[in-house]
Amino acid sequence: MERVIEVEHLEKKFGNFTAVDHISFHVERGEIFGFLGANGAGKTTAMRMLCGLSKPTSGTGRVVGFDIARESEKIKRGIGYMSQKFSLYENLTVRENIRLYGGIYGMRRSEIRDKMDRVLGDLGLLEERNTQVRLLPQGVKQRLAFSVAAFHEPQVVFLDEPTGGVDPAVRRMFWELIYQAAADGITVFVTTHYMDEAEYCDRVSIMVDGRIEALGTPAALKQQYGVPGMQEVFYLLARRAQRKEG
Amino acid sequence: MKIRTFIDQFFAFTRKEFYHILRDRKTLLVLVVLPISQLLIFGFALNSSLTEMPTAVLDMSNDRMSRQIVAEIDASSTFKVVERVSSMDEVDELFKRGNLSQVFVFMPGFEKEIKRTGVGNVQVIMDASLQINASTLESYILATLLNYQRKINAGRELPIQIVPEIKMRYNPRLDSAFHFVPGVIGIVLMLVCSMMASLAIVKEKESGTMEVLLVSPVRPPVIVLAKLVPYLLVGMINIVVILLISVTVLKVPITGNIFLLFFIGIVFTLSSLALGIMVSVLTKTQRSAIIISIAGLMLPAITLSGFIFPLDSLSLGMKVIVHLMPVTLFISAARNIMIKGLGMDAVYPELFGLLAITIVLIVISIKCFKNRLS
């Protein structure tokens, strides 16, 4: 299998504080990789380095075939991103948001139009194409934001706690989109602290105090720690944390 | 990056910024109504009518006509004769005490002179330290004397003429009553443009959309330049409205070339927007952006731009500093065009200054923006 993300001894320091402490892992093409950790464990910092938003203090990493320290502009063209905060423009309509992001990634107008019909059809939003995004329900917004992040067919989509504030049923619908994207060959890198979501991933890593303490398929991790669910695996590891939250 | 992509991204972004502005009706309303109301408030406040201004009379002729004129002056609601003096020294004394607006001086033989030549000179010495008042009063003095002249000429074969000879104290080269209007235009344009631009980028930082833009291949120049376009358009509309109000409501004549004035206005708008954008790039919250644009941009603009206080008295170092503010350059250029009627050759230092400052500010904004990416 081809490795879309590959990281060796990645470290990020802010002054004396080591936010990310020599982590190493890889993600294969088409995989759904769950990047778990308590708040303050360093997962957002690690993800920002992978996206080219911040430079590592030491260590190396390659994302979609480019070096994260030196070729971040090339990486940006090959990835999609959906942030913790809501990432669409609230006072733009569904169609305008899609056209804007399509334009940012250099897609042709005709290409944008064709793809938009397909995507909105899948989301059941064809009727809402001229509705301003702020008027949509939270769950719909999040699914739209994901579809926009994957709209330009990136090799990897990074999702930073994408399903905050919605109930499990809505999260389930969101994950159907993720599965579909993965089936289309898009690699999904997702941070979350909902353990029901962790169960949906192909593989997960769990970060504690800046280090990756566990990595494997959910089934393997549950077996390794002898517990019935990811929730318990997570508690066992998170209890070791020295750092305060935040 | 390919030029095509750059242009495509630029248009995609500019369109987005237009949607933002047009959908935010309340802000749009503020952007258009605020400058109008500001201009009217400033305009009328500084143009207010003056009544019962303390006046002294030094009548060295003391004849029928001089007494009639004094009575005429006293009868008008604008002037009130509070003192009669008998020498110029007393006049000086009164001015020094600071409670005198003007003195009317009639030289000996006032009426005799009129009978001989048909022309009588009244000397008026004014306290012009408040230049706006002084020039308004000047027109009242002219009107009062003309009024008397008309009365006395009724039924007279040879018309006589009363000519005031006005001397300014404390501010001898009083330029014009309309001196302040270019200043108001500058301040109002800057207020609107810098404020709205200072929120433009920081707003996206707060809402979280900036993070997505940073992860996308879009480059800082596209984001910064696309933000400027729609605001520049709003600024241009404001210039047109402000000039219209200045001419029609405040009755300020534009003696120079109006297109030149409009052009400089556009360059000035651009520089104010660039200032705001720079604030927006350097701050993290909308609140701090607003505080910085009020305390850091507006206060110096109002106090140090020559809008209220003349710049002549500043030290050389301060003069250089205040001339690095776009608003100082604009007010100076606008006064030259509107009031003195000067042309391009008189304002090109200001024009090039404004262009240079704008470019520097935009480059700084783009550079600092880039730093945040890494």
Side-chain angles (χ1 to χ4, degrees), chain B residues 180-342:
Chain B
F180 71 97
V181 169
V184 175
I185 295 176
I187 296 292
V188 166
L189 269 180
M190 185 176 165
L191 180 77
V192 174
C193 296
S194 298
M195 291 280 228
M196 65 184 180
S198 74
L199 295 179
I201 286 172
V202 76
K203 202 186 274 173
E204 294 212 26
K205 289 186 201 167
E206 276 188 2
S207 71
T209 47
M210 186 52 72
E211 216 171 310
V212 181
L213 296 184
L214 295 182
V215 184
S216 80
V218 65
R219 308 287 303 187
V222 174
I223 300 176
V224 170
L225 294 177
K227 292 259 177 214
L228 288 175
V229 176
Y231 288 125
L232 182 62
L233 209 73
V234 175
M236 284 164 74
I237 294 170
N238 275 333
I239 299 175
V240 172
V241 172
I242 285 175
L243 289 182
L244 276 176
I245 292 179
S246 299
V247 173
T248 56
V249 182
L250 297 175
K251 313 275 187 216
V252 183
I254 297 174
T255 36
N257 187 334
I258 191 160
F259 294 104
L260 182 60
L261 182 63
F262 186 66
F263 179 66
I264 290 195
I266 291 174
V267 178
F268 170 63
T269 304
L270 208 53
S271 67
S272 302
L273 289 174
L275 259 181
I277 291 278
M278 191 181 72
V279 170
S280 205
V281 166
L282 297 176
T283 49
K284 282 188 176 151
T285 61
Q286 297 194 50
R287 193 185 306 194
S288 55
I290 282 287
I291 291 171
I292 288 178
S293 50
I294 290 173
L297 301 181
M298 289 320 297
L299 278 182
I302 290 170
T303 51
L304 294 173
S305 63
F307 169 50
I308 298 178
F309 308 113
L311 300 176
D312 304 333
S313 54
L314 293 179
S315 68
L316 185 67
M318 273 309 281
K319 257 185 208 167
V320 172
I321 292 172
V322 300
H323 279 92
L324 289 176
M325 299 195 305
V327 65
T328 315
L329 298 175
F330 173 75
I331 291 178
S332 155
R335 279 177 182 160
N336 280 341
I337 298 169
M338 285 180 79
I339 293 158
K340 296 183 188 157
L342 299 177

Side-chain angles (χ1 to χ4, degrees), chain A residues 48 51-55 73 76-77 79 81 83 85-89 91-93 96 99-101 103-106 109 132, chain B residues 4-5 8-9 12-13 15-16 19-20 23-24 204-209 211-219 372-374:
Chain A
R48 292 172 79 90
C51 298
L53 275 177
S54 101
K55 279 197 162 53
E73 290 306 318
K76 285 176 184 174
R77 257 168 274 168
I79 63 172
Y81 180 80
S83 79
K85 286 189 195 168
F86 182 62
S87 50
L88 298 177
Y89 290 97
N91 61 355
L92 262 52
T93 65
E96 288 158 0
R99 261 173 47 184
L100 172 67
Y101 283 104
I104 290 176
Y105 287 92
R109 276 166 166 267
Q132 286 185 34
Chain B
R4 258 278 328 269
T5 335
D8 283 353
Q9 288 182 343
F13 258 84
R15 191 189 291 128
K16 150 190 172 285
Y19 289 139
H20 284 326
R23 301 244 160 97
D24 193 353
E204 294 212 26
K205 289 186 201 167
E206 276 188 2
S207 71
T209 47
E211 216 171 310
V212 181
L213 296 184
L214 295 182
V215 184
S216 80
V218 65
R219 308 287 303 187
R372 306 249 149 192
L373 283 169
S374 55

